[in-house]
Amino acid sequence: MKMQWSLIFGLIFALLIALFAVINVDPVQVNFGFSIVSLPLILVILSCALIGGVIVGSYGIFRQYKQQRKIKSLTAELTKANEKIAELEAANTADALAESAIPGGTTTFN
């Protein structure tokens, strides 16, 4: 459900940007530092929105990759810990059986 709302808000935002860009079609001067270019404002608005989307998307992909690596390492650590627990439980069971097999051994009840 959260993904659907994100998609709806994204589409509404894209529609607002497109509407804003269509209203502003006058040519403007853009200074790139090494050159000055006259472009329609609609191209400037849409290109800035596209560049912003690429930056946000790249950050999201990087963050997801980082989280997947963390999940993979934690899963490996959990598997190793579960194996160690099983090994210790087996050793504890073997020790308990060995103690109960000793004649005259004392047992305590809690």
Side-chain angles (χ1 to χ4, degrees):
M1 187 70 177
K2 182 179 177 183
M3 188 66 163
Q4 291 173 345
W5 282 110
S6 297
L7 182 64
I8 291 170
F9 287 132
L11 289 174
I12 290 172
F13 187 68
L15 181 65
L16 289 175
I17 289 175
L19 182 66
F20 182 72
V22 169
I23 292 172
N24 295 295
V25 292
D26 299 331
V28 294
Q29 287 189 350
V30 180
N31 186 352
F32 289 108
F34 56 85
S35 176
I36 297 177
V37 180
S38 181
L39 295 170
L41 187 56
I42 187 170
L43 291 178
V44 174
I45 293 170
L46 292 178
S47 62
C48 288
L50 180 66
I51 291 169
V54 168
I55 290 171
V56 169
S58 298
Y59 177 72
I61 290 170
F62 172 73
R63 190 170 161 206
Q64 184 177 7
Y65 172 73
K66 193 174 173 183
Q67 286 178 346
Q68 285 176 347
R69 280 187 27 198
K70 180 81 170 178
I71 289 170
K72 188 175 181 179
S73 71
L74 290 174
T75 302
E77 186 178 329
L78 179 63
T79 303
K80 186 188 271 188
N82 284 338
E83 289 173 358
K84 183 70 173 175
I85 289 170
E87 179 184 314
L88 291 173
E89 284 178 346
N92 190 19
T93 303
D95 287 344
L97 289 175
E99 284 182 9
S100 66
I102 298 173
T106 60
T107 56
T108 58
F109 297 99
N110 292 333

